[in-house]
Amino acid sequence: MGTTCSTPQEILVGVTGSIAAYKAIEIVSGLKKSGFAVTVALTPSALKFVTPLTFEILSGKEVYSEVFAEKTKVSHIEIAARASLFLVAPATANFIAKAAHGIADDPVTLLYLSSNCPVVIAPAMNERMFNHPAVQENLETLMRRGVIIVSPEEGRLACGSTGKGRLASVEKIISTVEKLLKKRSTLKGKTVLVTAGPTQEKIDEIRYISNYSSGKTGYALAAEAFKRGAQVELISGPTNLEPPPGVNVTYVKTALEMRKACLDIFFRADITIMAAAVADYRPVKKFDGKLKKSHNLITLELVENPDILKELSSKKKKTQLIVGFAAETSNLLENAQVKLQEKKVDLLVANLVGDGKGFGQDFNQVTLLFSDGRKHKLPLLPKEKVAEKIFDQIEKILSN
Ligand code: CTP
């Protein structure tokens, strides 16, 4: 069941012109059975495969299939505003390209640009089309903006060949929608800023100073904040991770870029979590090209990077909550206590790093230190669970 409130949540289903359009009939019917209200929008190409009447009967609502139709009683802005989730299934290469570039010349793309809810798209097309760099880059753009992609499956395609391009199963699409809408809404209306990963400080064109942070904890925190209904801004240093669904990502490389990105967003963040492992120093001078090998001892002059967390805390309004991290190799609690006070954070997450601990691992054992002096040691947990526990504590602080 997708909802627990008396008014059913509304799903906007956009159908675009693929042979798989007929499966949208099953999807709409399944969503209705799961207790959702559904409004359907069709592109002119979808109309070549399916009829508005079918969807009108199934959804019990007027179908939006003409941008300039006189009989349409509700505007696209109203339709988009009502939706708890926008699902485009099947999504053609054409829709994906238009959505990635902000083109709105049919009912579905128009609604996409007008919507302000989570967006799920289920692509369906020939395998060569799906793998084309143009399509893949457009999908990456959409994912970076928080769109959730239900990947197509391997199988026999309408063109007779087999490969990856077949619309994901109706069950998978519906369960993706249900999972997303089952998310809690404890942080609804809040903006959460999370930093993640390492920074890289250039020595020359091909070398840099960095650290072993994988970004997993920061990404898990961003995903958890989204699950709790927050609007999430993730500022990420270089990592190998997929952007978490539903999250806006800003990619940065250096500490100075991370500082700038943080300052741009911080003023509107209710909760800020600095999980990034910011490099403390950067080379004073970046050498042009490749620094050539010298057989003598070389000296690299380093200058300290700004402490982003300290700067944000000094600008913090009373209503804003800040969480910092402490990565230590020894004297965990003593060092963390100093950081809690010096960086003036509401909550500090302390963990041991190095020697196979913390950085790069899937599990972590952390101790939470609170500004009122309390300490709370968590067991060794998967980083996703650590993120849950951190948000449980954040919500407790907010409720006091
Ligand atoms: N941090 C930051 N800017 C920096 C360095 C650290 O914002 N230039 C933040 C980190 O994101 C983390 C916290 O400060 O939330 C503590 O980072 P950590 O690396 O543990 O400590 P440092 O402040 O760098 O101190 P030290 O290296 O001496 O332990």
Side-chain angles (χ1 to χ4, degrees), residues 341-362:
Q341 273 146 4
E342 279 190 350
K343 305 209 184 205
K344 295 193 175 58
V345 293
D346 300 284
L347 173 61
L348 191 100
V349 184
N351 70 147
L352 284 170
V353 291
D355 201 16
K357 294 189 206 76
F359 283 176
Q361 306 299 311
D362 290 331

Side-chain angles (χ1 to χ4, degrees), residues 105-213:
D105 63 353
D106 63 56
V108 179
T109 47
L110 197 60
L111 285 169
Y112 169 70
L113 284 196
S114 319
S115 67
N116 187 25
C117 56
V119 179
V120 176
I121 73 170
M125 66 197 77
N126 164 276
E127 184 184 31
R128 253 181 291 151
M129 285 175 76
F130 182 70
N131 287 331
H132 195 286
V135 174
Q136 287 301 315
E137 277 172 28
N138 287 334
L139 282 171
E140 270 168 36
T141 302
L142 293 176
M143 274 162 69
R144 254 202 327 276
R145 293 184 194 146
V147 172
I148 294 128
I149 316 287
V150 189
S151 290
E153 294 175 349
E154 299 266 345
R156 222 183 118 68
L157 303 169
C159 54
S161 62
T162 46
K164 187 174 177 180
R166 211 163 70 162
L167 184 72
S169 71
V170 171
E171 295 71 38
K172 189 166 172 204
I173 294 171
I174 292 179
S175 80
T176 304
V177 169
E178 285 183 327
K179 266 193 218 139
L180 276 165
L181 288 177
K182 244 188 243 158
K183 69 179 191 192
R184 297 155 59 179
S185 53
T186 41
L187 292 179
K188 202 170 162 68
K190 303 257 182 244
T191 299
V192 176
L193 164 61
V194 182
T195 65
T199 65
Q200 291 178 351
E201 314 295 330
K202 269 192 170 178
I203 298 171
D204 65 8
E205 241 1 277
I206 57 161
R207 304 177 178 100
Y208 55 79
I209 299 175
S210 191
N211 57 63
Y212 290 114
S213 165

